[in-house]
Amino acid sequence: MPHVAAKTRPLIRHKTLWALIALVLAGVAWAVWRWQQPAAAGYVAAPVKVAVAPVSRQPFTRYLEAIGELEAVEQVSVPAEIGGRIVDLPIESGQRVERGQVLVRLNDAPERGQQVRLQGQVDNTRVRLDRLKQLIHSNAVSREALDDAQAEYTTARGALQELMAQIEQRTIRAPFAGTLGIRKVHVGQYVNPGDTLINLIGNKGLFVNFSVPEQALAHFKTGSPLQIELDALPGQAVTAVVSSVDPFLDRTRTLSVQARLQAPPASALPRMFARVRLPQAMPENTLSLPETAVTYSAYGEDVYVVQPAHDEKSAPTVRRVSVKTGERREGWVVIDKGLSADDQVVTSGQIKLSDGVSIEPVTSTALAAEPGAQK
């Protein structure tokens, strides 16, 4: 058997060699056939659907902006001038009061007792003074005695007036007409001098206080109109007029400005957060476009400008252009450099674009309706 296996080995080698030669010839024949076939037409990508819009030339209002806070024309935290126990509190939280109306009464019983005593001293010294004035004409008393009586009477009157002022301090009255806040004290409570009893807001309107850099001084003059937006009252535009400008700069070189609100909303309250805007008209040839047209990268801000098609069979393309932007507001942005008024730009669908890509302009509403359409 080993002898038979040795005879079959050359036969196997010849068959393997012929099989390899056949495979090589088949490969060469396929390559020649492939090379002789006509070249297939190149693949042309479908145009990308994008929304486009023209660069607009229109007047554009620029705003100097600042952050401010509302303040009532008349507002005060009513304090206790002297210490004492509250015996009467004839008000309620949120009540409207008139000027001079009693808000709080403190215990004044000891002072009332002293008032009786001092009133008696005043009456006694006045009677003595009148008697000496009658006797001085007959030289029955000396001029010195008359002067002493006059001094005693004046001193007694002064002590009584001082006590009456202390009694008046124990009756706290409204310094002006307005609306009360929430009471901070109760009947029977002892208060110290300077303690806040209740807040009072007047009815004469509101100011807005804000600060601007010193470079903006030329724009904020007395009488300048302002636009005010209150975050707590969205959609309620308010106007204001600059009423005063602080002539003293603080250490950060900012300028304090105060403006009075014109017809403020009834729900506007002191210390509300306010956004202040001073409108400044820009030239009528200002170029602007939808803010969605601007794309951002590490190199700056870019816009895809539409390039017209070369012929009827080809589609328009886009070219990426670097721009310099300015003021932004309500979805629009000013273009300071990089575009002209007759350009058309892509406003949506930029994520699929690059220089030279063919596009199919569509309306923005149609693009938004397609799945996956985005900037």
Side-chain angles (χ1 to χ4, degrees):
M1 292 298 295
H3 179 69
V4 175
K7 290 181 177 181
T8 58
R9 288 176 185 170
L11 180 61
I12 294 173
R13 291 192 185 115
H14 283 87
K15 289 182 178 180
T16 303
L17 179 61
W18 283 109
L20 291 174
I21 293 172
L23 287 174
V24 172
L25 292 175
V28 172
W30 181 87
V32 172
W33 175 84
R34 181 64 179 170
W35 178 74
Q36 291 177 347
Q37 297 300 314
Y43 173 75
V44 178
V48 179
K49 292 183 178 181
V50 295
V52 299
V55 177
S56 175
R57 185 188 294 273
Q58 58 184 351
F60 201 89
T61 303
R62 181 174 179 267
Y63 290 95
L64 294 178
E65 298 184 344
I67 301 301
E69 183 181 78
L70 298 188
E71 176 188 352
V73 175
E74 293 180 328
Q75 65 179 42
V76 66
S77 296
V78 180
E81 296 185 38
I82 59 177
R85 178 173 54 86
I86 297 176
V87 295
D88 190 16
L89 198 59
I91 54 171
E92 297 293 337
S93 299
Q95 177 182 338
R96 295 182 64 85
V97 296
E98 300 298 328
R99 179 178 180 180
Q101 184 173 335
V102 175
L103 305 180
V104 181
R105 283 195 176 95
L106 303 180
N107 181 30
D108 60 357
E111 287 77 8
R112 294 292 181 184
Q114 294 181 29
Q115 178 185 1
V116 174
R117 177 176 60 82
L118 290 177
Q119 185 65 55
Q121 291 180 0
V122 170
D123 294 342
N124 183 44
T125 54
R126 184 177 64 249
V127 170
R128 182 168 180 271
L129 178 61
D130 291 343
R131 184 182 303 116
L132 292 178
K133 285 181 178 180
Q134 294 176 358
L135 295 176
I136 193 67
H137 298 293
S138 58
N139 294 324
V141 295
S142 65
R143 186 70 186 180
E144 181 180 1
L146 179 62
D147 292 342
D148 289 342
Q150 180 68 52
E152 291 177 359
Y153 173 66
T154 302
T155 301
R157 285 188 57 194
L160 179 60
Q161 290 179 2
E162 180 182 5
L163 181 62
M164 294 298 295
Q166 295 177 3
I167 294 176
E168 183 63 25
Q169 285 180 315
R170 293 184 176 274
T171 301
I172 294 93
R173 302 177 183 273
F176 49 80
T179 303
L180 297 174
I182 298 176
R183 294 189 321 187
K184 302 181 182 298
V185 292
H186 304 276
V187 174
Q189 179 179 342
Y190 185 89
V191 295
N192 295 307
D195 287 352
T196 298
L197 307 177
I198 196 168
N199 293 323
L200 176 62
I201 305 299
N203 304 323
K204 293 187 176 180
L206 295 168
F207 288 122
V208 57
N209 299 318
F210 58 96
S211 298
V212 295
E214 62 179 355
Q215 294 83 354
L217 174 61
H219 303 288
F220 290 89
K221 300 294 185 181
T222 302
S224 299
L226 304 175
Q227 295 180 4
I228 310 297
E229 294 181 358
L230 305 175
D231 285 4
L233 303 174
Q236 300 188 37
V238 184
T239 59
V241 175
V242 175
S243 56
S244 60
V245 178
D246 196 331
F248 189 81
L249 294 175
D250 61 20
R251 294 188 178 275
T252 61
R253 297 297 184 270
T254 56
L255 187 71
S256 297
V257 183
Q258 186 176 73
R260 185 160 186 168
L261 271 63
Q262 307 296 301
S267 51
L269 301 174
R271 294 190 178 178
M272 274 188 175
F273 181 86
R275 300 182 186 274
V276 182
R277 301 198 303 178
L278 175 65
Q280 292 184 310
M282 297 180 69
E284 294 186 1
N285 59 352
T286 301
L287 299 180
S288 61
L289 49 77
E291 194 171 2
T292 56
V294 182
T295 59
Y296 305 90
S297 67
Y299 303 100
E301 300 170 317
D302 302 305
V303 170
Y304 282 102
V305 179
V306 178
Q307 302 296 305
H310 299 293
D311 51 51
E312 296 180 355
K313 296 182 179 180
S314 60
T317 59
V318 293
R319 178 171 57 92
R320 191 166 189 157
V321 176
S322 296
V323 296
K324 181 180 179 182
T325 61
E327 185 82 9
R328 300 171 185 267
R329 187 175 68 256
E330 298 175 356
W332 289 81
V333 58
V334 172
I335 301 299
D336 294 331
K337 184 179 180 181
L339 296 176
S340 58
D342 55 351
D343 287 335
Q344 278 200 328
V345 297
V346 177
T347 60
S348 184
Q350 296 96 318
I351 195 172
K352 301 178 182 179
L353 298 182
S354 60
D355 272 335
V357 169
S358 299
I359 62 169
E360 179 185 345
V362 297
T363 61
S364 58
T365 54
L367 185 66
E370 295 189 7
Q374 60 179 338
K375 179 177 176 179

